Structure formats: C-alpha cells, structure tokens
Amino acid sequence: MFQDSVYNYIVSKLRNEKIHMTLLDPAKMRPERIGNIGAMAQKAGTSAIMLGGSTHLSMELVDESVLALKKETSLPIILFPAAAATLSRHADALYFMSMLNSTDINYIVGEQVKGAPLVKDFGIEPIPMGYIIVEPGMAVGHVGKAKVIPRDDPELAMHYSLTAQYFGMKLVYLEAGSGASHPVPAKMVREVKQGIEIPLIVGGGIRTPKQAREIIGAGADIIVTGTVVEETEDIFGTLEPIIQEARNG
Ligand code: 1GP
C-alpha cells in the first residue's frame, strides 16, 4: 500500500514541478499488460496511475488490475471510477468526483451516494474533485449526459471550476474526453487557472510533447494521457518526451 496520503503526495510534488498521470482502462487491456505499462510509465517519469474509463467494469477486473500494478510499480494507484460498482479495496485513493455539467443526477451525486459506504469500508482515500466535460466530450460526455462546455466559452469553464472550489473540492479536472481530436484549448486552461486557487488537471486528446507544453504553459498543474500508450508499442519512447515537457513546464 502507498503509505502517505495521495493528496499530500500530489500537493507536495506540485511545489516543485508539474505532474503527469497515466490513465489505464481495464476495459481495454488485460491486467498483466496494465502492470507492464505501469512499470514503463513509472520509468518514463509519470507520477501516478489513474485506473478507469467510461464503461462499467466488474469489481474483479479492477481488483486484478490494481494488484498487477502494485506488483510492477511503486506509484500511487488512483481510481477514476465510472460508477460505484467499479471500486477496488486495493487502490490507494480515488477521485471522489462529481460531473458538474452532467444533466443526469446519477453522475452528479447518485453514484457517489452508492460509492460512499464502500469507500469507507475499504478505507480508500477519497480526493474530492470537480469533473467538467469540455467539447467534444467523447464517450464520457455521452455516457454522463454532459452539457459540454463549448470550446469557445472559457468563461463558462471558469465559472464551473470556481463552483468546484467553492464546494470545497480539492481538484478541478477539465476533460475533453478520451481520444478527443484536440485537447482542451490553451485559452480555456489559462482562464480557468487564473480564476481558481486549487490545482487544475487537464486531460483528453493530449498526444504530443508540444500539446503537453502548451497546456502546462497555459497553467495546468497536472496533465493526464491515456490513449497514447494504447496506440503504441514503444511506451517509454512515447511517454518520456511528453512527461519531460510537462515536468519542465
Ligand atoms: C480521459 O483525460 C483522459 O479521461 C485521457 O484522455 O485518452 O485522450 O489521453 P486520452
């Protein structure tokens, strides 16, 4: 088990550098492959593994994936759940997240009510997070029935982010959706960062070191990539330059 609080680990890392996190989806890869990718991602400099996706997974599969990661890496494993049924007692933390611009109460508070007692029983560290879906939103926007933030409305994204902060959430996540053709616009990242005081995570559609540099340069504290490692055999060679750009940003 990861000994320290994962939230403290994130915040203390952010005092010195920007952070990259690797998202792995148990619906797309077997647990052994997840473990192997986790090990390579750690070597490439990623700071945490997020485990999840937009489909509902069995608890068994999530458990096996967490355990495979625990065997291969010493990184914190943070659940990024689509639903209450996908929690694993072996994880170090989970983003206790609300999709603030969903039109479906289940994604705002319903699944969370189902998940809360499990989080308590399992003793997983919950990290409260405001999850905000930006156009195009992809599968997560569709499944979560999000009223996506238009790419040309950074002010609306900022207002949602400020709402997350005032609710007491510890992090804001601007999400363009996994596999998006373009990441969240730099202008939107900049406006949100200027408006809030809590750390800002940006993900969805980040595939190149240049995109990582732009998003970190615009003010993101943490960037997340998922799809790039699914599309390559050269995990280290693909991730390392992206992570370097992020950390130096
Ligand atoms: C999705 O933000 C993450 O939740 C990662 O997106 O798969 O496009 O890297 P990608």
Side-chain angles (χ1 to χ4, degrees):
M1 266 289 163
F2 190 75
Q3 294 303 320
D4 192 12
S5 140
V6 176
Y7 175 71
N8 288 345
Y9 162 85
I10 293 170
V11 171
S12 68
K13 258 193 173 301
L14 284 176
R15 288 197 196 105
N16 304 313
E17 61 182 11
K18 304 291 185 155
I19 295 180
H20 172 274
M21 294 188 184
T22 301
L23 173 68
L24 300 173
D25 186 350
K28 296 184 183 162
M29 288 168 272
R30 294 295 311 148
E32 301 73 48
R33 178 148 174 80
I34 286 193
N36 292 338
I37 295 180
M40 279 182 277
Q42 178 164 23
K43 209 169 135 210
T46 203
S47 295
I49 303 290
M50 291 165 46
L51 202 60
S54 42
T55 43
H56 290 230
L57 304 163
S58 75
M59 195 114 63
E60 261 175 347
L61 187 58
V62 182
D63 271 342
E64 283 175 33
S65 304
V66 174
L67 292 173
L69 281 164
K70 289 274 158 192
K71 215 162 85 186
E72 302 290 340
T73 85
S74 55
L75 292 171
I77 316 297
I78 308 173
L79 300 177
F80 185 56
T86 62
L87 304 188
S88 164
R89 65 174 74 244
H90 304 292
D92 299 300
L94 95 154
Y95 288 134
F96 199 82
M97 51 206 264
S98 173
M99 190 189 288
L100 296 176
N101 60 333
S102 174
T103 59
D104 181 343
I105 194 160
N106 273 309
Y107 288 90
I108 303 170
V109 75
E111 286 297 325
Q112 296 79 345
V113 171
K114 287 186 217 156
L118 290 177
V119 174
K120 191 172 164 79
D121 284 356
F122 291 174
I124 317 170
E125 176 188 346
I127 304 177
M129 183 229 274
Y131 192 45
I132 300 161
I133 312 297
V134 176
E135 192 180 24
M138 309 301 285
V140 73
H142 183 71
V143 172
K145 301 189 188 68
K147 192 170 176 219
V148 292
I149 310 281
R151 295 177 64 80
D152 61 358
D153 197 349
E155 211 182 347
L156 183 60
M158 198 273 276
H159 294 171
Y160 267 101
S161 302
L162 207 47
T163 301
Q165 178 177 318
Y166 291 162
F167 267 135
M169 292 165 170
K170 303 277 195 226
L171 302 167
V172 166
Y173 193 133
L174 288 183
E175 169 74 273
S178 184
S181 56
H182 300 284
V184 174
K187 190 170 186 284
M188 186 178 282
V189 174
R190 193 168 297 115
E191 183 138 349
V192 167
K193 182 61 188 175
Q194 282 167 1
I196 61 172
E197 279 137 46
I198 54 178
L200 174 62
I201 309 179
V202 178
I206 302 172
R207 289 184 179 79
T208 65
K210 182 168 177 277
Q211 288 171 325
R213 182 166 62 240
E214 275 168 11
I215 289 173
I216 291 286
D221 298 290
I222 301 168
I223 59 163
V224 178
T225 65
T227 303
V228 276
V229 295
E230 292 164 15
E231 290 176 343
T232 178
E233 284 306 311
D234 182 10
I235 308 286
F236 181 84
T238 305
L239 272 186
E240 205 257 352
I242 294 175
I243 295 171
Q244 281 308 323
E245 285 297 342
R247 289 172 73 177
N248 296 337

mmCIF file of all heavy atoms in Angstrom, residues 23 80 131 173 175 177-180 203-205 224-227, ligand 1:
data_model
loop_
_atom_site.group_PDB
_atom_site.id
_atom_site.type_symbol
_atom_site.label_atom_id
_atom_site.label_comp_id
_atom_site.label_asym_id
_atom_site.label_seq_id
_atom_site.Cartn_x
_atom_site.Cartn_y
_atom_site.Cartn_z
ATOM 1 N N LEU A 23 -3.386 7.351 -17.474
ATOM 2 C CA LEU A 23 -4.688 6.711 -17.309
ATOM 3 C C LEU A 23 -4.707 5.381 -18.041
ATOM 4 O O LEU A 23 -4.403 5.313 -19.237
ATOM 5 C CB LEU A 23 -5.796 7.603 -17.883
ATOM 6 C CG LEU A 23 -7.188 6.967 -17.914
ATOM 7 C CD1 LEU A 23 -7.748 6.748 -16.514
ATOM 8 C CD2 LEU A 23 -8.157 7.808 -18.735
ATOM 9 N N PHE A 80 -10.391 6.083 -10.968
ATOM 10 C CA PHE A 80 -11.048 7.147 -11.742
ATOM 11 C C PHE A 80 -12.354 6.506 -12.207
ATOM 12 O O PHE A 80 -12.476 6.045 -13.332
ATOM 13 C CB PHE A 80 -10.112 7.484 -12.909
ATOM 14 C CG PHE A 80 -10.509 8.626 -13.785
ATOM 15 C CD1 PHE A 80 -10.745 9.883 -13.269
ATOM 16 C CD2 PHE A 80 -10.587 8.453 -15.159
ATOM 17 C CE1 PHE A 80 -11.069 10.945 -14.100
ATOM 18 C CE2 PHE A 80 -10.908 9.500 -15.998
ATOM 19 C CZ PHE A 80 -11.152 10.753 -15.466
ATOM 20 N N TYR A 131 -15.415 17.503 -11.857
ATOM 21 C CA TYR A 131 -15.105 16.958 -13.188
ATOM 22 C C TYR A 131 -15.965 17.713 -14.202
ATOM 23 O O TYR A 131 -17.204 17.698 -14.098
ATOM 24 C CB TYR A 131 -15.440 15.470 -13.153
ATOM 25 C CG TYR A 131 -14.960 14.634 -14.308
ATOM 26 C CD1 TYR A 131 -13.671 14.745 -14.806
ATOM 27 C CD2 TYR A 131 -15.806 13.689 -14.888
ATOM 28 C CE1 TYR A 131 -13.231 13.929 -15.847
ATOM 29 C CE2 TYR A 131 -15.374 12.868 -15.923
ATOM 30 C CZ TYR A 131 -14.086 12.998 -16.400
ATOM 31 O OH TYR A 131 -13.659 12.186 -17.429
ATOM 32 N N TYR A 173 -10.886 19.077 -12.776
ATOM 33 C CA TYR A 173 -10.427 18.299 -13.936
ATOM 34 C C TYR A 173 -11.200 18.777 -15.167
ATOM 35 O O TYR A 173 -12.413 18.598 -15.242
ATOM 36 C CB TYR A 173 -10.715 16.822 -13.668
ATOM 37 C CG TYR A 173 -10.050 15.816 -14.587
ATOM 38 C CD1 TYR A 173 -9.414 14.701 -14.057
ATOM 39 C CD2 TYR A 173 -10.087 15.932 -15.973
ATOM 40 C CE1 TYR A 173 -8.815 13.736 -14.865
ATOM 41 C CE2 TYR A 173 -9.489 14.981 -16.797
ATOM 42 C CZ TYR A 173 -8.866 13.888 -16.241
ATOM 43 O OH TYR A 173 -8.286 12.933 -17.046
ATOM 44 N N GLU A 175 -11.907 18.059 -18.854
ATOM 45 C CA GLU A 175 -11.831 16.816 -19.644
ATOM 46 C C GLU A 175 -12.409 17.012 -21.044
ATOM 47 O O GLU A 175 -13.602 17.295 -21.192
ATOM 48 C CB GLU A 175 -12.630 15.740 -18.887
ATOM 49 C CG GLU A 175 -12.901 14.457 -19.629
ATOM 50 C CD GLU A 175 -11.662 13.590 -19.754
ATOM 51 O OE1 GLU A 175 -10.914 13.790 -20.726
ATOM 52 O OE2 GLU A 175 -11.465 12.735 -18.869
ATOM 53 N N GLY A 177 -12.334 14.539 -23.109
ATOM 54 C CA GLY A 177 -12.791 13.187 -23.457
ATOM 55 C C GLY A 177 -11.646 12.362 -24.002
ATOM 56 O O GLY A 177 -10.833 12.853 -24.784
ATOM 57 N N SER A 178 -11.604 11.103 -23.592
ATOM 58 C CA SER A 178 -10.521 10.234 -24.032
ATOM 59 C C SER A 178 -10.593 10.044 -25.544
ATOM 60 O O SER A 178 -11.646 9.754 -26.095
ATOM 61 C CB SER A 178 -10.640 8.883 -23.324
ATOM 62 O OG SER A 178 -9.548 8.089 -23.681
ATOM 63 N N GLY A 179 -9.440 10.257 -26.205
ATOM 64 C CA GLY A 179 -9.386 10.100 -27.656
ATOM 65 C C GLY A 179 -9.865 11.321 -28.424
ATOM 66 O O GLY A 179 -10.005 11.270 -29.647
ATOM 67 N N ALA A 180 -10.088 12.442 -27.737
ATOM 68 C CA ALA A 180 -10.549 13.672 -28.424
ATOM 69 C C ALA A 180 -9.535 14.082 -29.500
ATOM 70 O O ALA A 180 -8.329 13.885 -29.330
ATOM 71 C CB ALA A 180 -10.724 14.800 -27.404
ATOM 72 N N GLY A 203 -7.067 16.846 -19.241
ATOM 73 C CA GLY A 203 -6.869 15.591 -19.977
ATOM 74 C C GLY A 203 -7.803 15.490 -21.164
ATOM 75 O O GLY A 203 -8.721 16.297 -21.341
ATOM 76 N N GLY A 204 -7.518 14.486 -21.973
ATOM 77 C CA GLY A 204 -8.321 14.235 -23.168
ATOM 78 C C GLY A 204 -7.642 14.788 -24.404
ATOM 79 O O GLY A 204 -7.486 15.998 -24.544
ATOM 80 N N GLY A 205 -7.169 13.892 -25.289
ATOM 81 C CA GLY A 205 -6.629 14.326 -26.579
ATOM 82 C C GLY A 205 -5.190 14.819 -26.561
ATOM 83 O O GLY A 205 -4.713 15.348 -27.568
ATOM 84 N N VAL A 224 -3.024 14.570 -17.966
ATOM 85 C CA VAL A 224 -3.307 13.132 -17.999
ATOM 86 C C VAL A 224 -3.283 12.671 -19.447
ATOM 87 O O VAL A 224 -3.865 13.317 -20.311
ATOM 88 C CB VAL A 224 -4.714 12.844 -17.405
ATOM 89 C CG1 VAL A 224 -5.030 11.359 -17.482
ATOM 90 C CG2 VAL A 224 -4.810 13.342 -15.972
ATOM 91 N N THR A 225 -2.585 11.558 -19.692
ATOM 92 C CA THR A 225 -2.700 10.921 -21.000
ATOM 93 C C THR A 225 -3.102 9.461 -20.819
ATOM 94 O O THR A 225 -2.688 8.811 -19.861
ATOM 95 C CB THR A 225 -1.395 10.985 -21.829
ATOM 96 O OG1 THR A 225 -0.378 10.225 -21.181
ATOM 97 C CG2 THR A 225 -0.908 12.420 -22.028
ATOM 98 N N GLY A 226 -3.926 8.998 -21.757
ATOM 99 C CA GLY A 226 -4.364 7.611 -21.744
ATOM 100 C C GLY A 226 -4.129 6.966 -23.098
ATOM 101 O O GLY A 226 -3.334 6.045 -23.247
ATOM 102 N N THR A 227 -4.788 7.510 -24.113
ATOM 103 C CA THR A 227 -4.800 6.900 -25.441
ATOM 104 C C THR A 227 -3.413 6.707 -26.039
ATOM 105 O O THR A 227 -3.174 5.692 -26.683
ATOM 106 C CB THR A 227 -5.690 7.752 -26.379
ATOM 107 O OG1 THR A 227 -6.990 7.832 -25.782
ATOM 108 C CG2 THR A 227 -5.802 7.149 -27.757
HETATM 109 C C1 1GP B 1 -9.546 10.674 -20.327
HETATM 110 O O1 1GP B 1 -8.372 12.647 -19.895
HETATM 111 C C2 1GP B 1 -8.214 11.301 -20.057
HETATM 112 O O2 1GP B 1 -10.316 10.678 -19.173
HETATM 113 C C3 1GP B 1 -7.187 10.904 -21.064
HETATM 114 O O3 1GP B 1 -7.567 11.152 -22.403
HETATM 115 O O4 1GP B 1 -7.143 9.037 -23.607
HETATM 116 O O5 1GP B 1 -7.265 11.183 -24.862
HETATM 117 O O6 1GP B 1 -5.329 10.677 -23.403
HETATM 118 P P1 1GP B 1 -6.764 10.481 -23.619
#
